[in-house]
Amino acid sequence: MTQQYRITLLPGDGIGPEILAVTVEILKVIGKKFDLQFDFQTALIGGAAIDETGSPLPEATLSACKNSDAVLLAAIGGYKWDNLPRQQRPETGLLGLRSGLGLFANLRPATIFPQLIDASTLKREIIEGVDIMVVRELTGGVYFGQPKGIFETETGEKCGVNTMVYLESEVDRIAKVAFEIAQKRGNKLCSVDKANVLDVSQLWRDRMTKMAANYPDVELSHLYVDNAAMQLVRAPKQFDTIVTGNLFGDILSDEAAMLTGSIGMLPSASLGTAGVGVFEPVHGSAPDIAGQDKANPIAQILSAAMMLKYGLNQPLAAASLEKAVEKVLALGYRTGDIFSEGMTLVGCQAMGQAILKVLES
């Protein structure tokens, strides 16, 4: 029996519409191959939404997402909107989407494709075999804590304030996600904090340690965030699953992404306790190459694979898509960001067509 899914597409800004269009065509082929029917609906977010409605996250968009089985987001932001007040910037729409859907867990894999080892700036012997999953808490911490803002003191001097705060329950629920993911991987979980300086990190470490009693098969370790940043480039193969807070996760997941040689290769998933997940590439909107058919669509395509796996419970379809990407890379096709001598340079659409050809063969 054909399984039906309603997917909300959020093309966003910059290269977003290009990479999402390629991915939708690939999902249509996946649907035929695995007897899945996707009902796609498109909505506005980010700069495109600001231009059309004045809001980075229109109510209609949030409503459409809530009534979907999954959300596939491309990219948001660009120079055009950088000078707007913070509450009107494209990034505020993304934060609102995460908050509105209750997406507290961000999964960001950093896996080295054997075909792209030489694209990394690190030595082959350092990164060969790296396979890391970063689990980032997404709706708490310093990005959401109150009070925050820029205030004027009694002396007339301005003061910027952000508050890093976590409740026990917020730490416990991200810990549960991280431990369960570690169980499906290498049974190793590294919790990253700054407990030697921050009280909020001490609470984080205490709760992680307590939660570990529920997962005796998982080896839990702790690292301060500065040491973790160093270890990621010194000896990344020591890591399997990493769990950390919102701010530290934002930074470390980008660092882990660059181990692979290009941030244009990496997908992500944002999940809640239940319900709709958002699946998006790690990279930004790249307005400097928008509309030029130069974008790498692979991160978006692999985000669709994560959607199939984590959002729709279709692991076979996800694996088929991942294998098609690997085969195309093995055949030597490369977009500009991962190109090296001797490879075949292609654009966004041609990369998509190459993956479609593999899937249809």
Side-chain angles (χ1 to χ4, degrees):
M1 176 183 284
T2 302
Q3 292 185 269
Q4 296 181 314
Y5 299 103
R6 177 177 290 182
I7 311 298
T8 294
L9 305 173
L10 303 178
D13 310 315
I15 62 172
E18 301 169 65
I19 59 177
L20 194 54
V22 166
T23 303
V24 167
E25 293 305 309
I26 287 172
L27 281 172
K28 289 177 182 178
V29 172
I30 286 286
K32 293 177 182 178
K33 189 173 182 179
F34 290 90
D35 202 16
L36 309 173
Q37 182 176 325
F38 300 112
D39 177 16
F40 296 111
Q41 56 181 341
T42 302
L44 293 167
I45 194 171
I50 293 169
D51 290 348
E52 186 75 21
T53 72
S55 169
L57 180 64
E59 186 57 40
T61 294
L62 185 57
S63 178
C65 292
K66 288 180 176 179
N67 291 312
S68 301
D69 294 300
V71 176
L72 198 55
L73 169 65
I76 63 167
Y79 315 126
K80 179 180 178 180
W81 305 281
D82 281 350
N83 293 324
L84 290 175
R86 184 168 302 280
Q87 291 305 312
Q88 295 176 22
R89 291 181 189 175
E91 295 77 14
T92 301
L94 181 57
L95 293 177
L97 181 65
R98 292 168 177 170
S99 179
L101 296 178
L103 307 176
F104 67 87
N106 183 231
L107 314 184
R108 289 181 56 167
T111 303
I112 303 297
F113 287 91
Q115 302 87 350
L116 298 179
I117 286 179
D118 293 329
S120 175
T121 55
L122 296 183
K123 295 178 180 178
R124 172 181 286 262
E125 58 267 28
I126 297 295
I127 63 165
E128 191 168 18
V130 164
D131 182 5
I132 300 170
M133 177 68 81
V134 179
V135 181
R136 168 191 171 191
E137 200 288 323
L138 204 56
T139 58
V142 73
Y143 292 169
F144 291 90
Q146 296 290 342
K148 66 177 179 179
I150 298 176
F151 307 98
E152 190 170 297
T153 67
E154 293 179 356
T155 63
E157 186 177 13
K158 287 185 178 180
C159 174
V161 176
N162 288 93
T163 304
M164 183 179 285
V165 56
Y166 273 112
L167 298 172
E168 288 181 332
S169 56
E170 291 177 313
V171 180
D172 290 354
R173 68 181 183 178
I174 194 68
K176 182 176 185 293
V177 171
F179 276 109
E180 290 177 356
I181 287 176
Q183 285 179 318
K184 297 174 183 177
R185 292 172 51 86
N187 285 306
K188 289 176 59 180
L189 178 63
C190 179
S191 176
V192 175
D193 57 45
K194 193 61 176 168
N196 59 334
V197 175
L198 301 175
D199 293 328
V200 64
S201 278
Q202 186 60 60
L203 174 68
W204 178 283
R205 183 172 291 211
D206 292 345
R207 298 309 298 179
M208 285 290 168
T209 301
K210 185 171 183 178
M211 288 289 289
N214 299 325
Y215 303 92
D217 54 329
V218 177
E219 176 190 340
L220 175 66
S221 60
H222 303 274
L223 280 180
Y224 298 139
V225 63
D226 44 352
N227 188 21
M230 180 184 70
Q231 295 296 333
L232 269 173
V233 293
R234 188 189 73 83
K237 283 184 279 191
Q238 69 183 281
F239 296 105
D240 180 81
T241 306
I242 295 172
V243 62
T244 190
N246 208 342
L247 174 62
F248 300 154
D250 195 357
I251 297 167
L252 292 180
S253 56
D254 273 6
E255 182 184 9
M258 285 312 299
L259 297 176
T260 68
S262 173
I263 203 169
M265 290 293 299
L266 299 180
S268 76
S270 298
L271 308 174
T273 303
V276 183
V278 174
F279 304 86
E280 60 179 304
V282 169
H283 61 70
S285 62
D288 54 317
I289 61 169
Q292 301 176 41
D293 194 38
K294 293 181 178 180
N296 184 349
I298 289 179
Q300 182 78 75
I301 293 165
L302 292 176
S303 294
M306 290 191 79
M307 179 186 76
L308 291 166
K309 183 176 182 179
Y310 293 102
L312 306 180
N313 195 28
Q314 295 291 340
L316 294 180
S320 176
L321 185 46
E322 290 167 349
K323 289 177 182 176
V325 170
E326 290 186 27
K327 185 169 183 179
V328 166
L329 291 174
L331 290 170
Y333 292 99
R334 301 286 189 274
T335 47
D337 57 314
I338 54 174
F339 179 75
S340 59
E341 189 174 349
M343 300 293 104
T344 301
L345 180 64
V346 296
C348 180
Q349 293 187 40
M351 179 63 83
Q353 288 299 314
I355 294 170
L356 278 174
K357 186 175 180 180
V358 169
L359 285 170
E360 292 171 338
S361 64

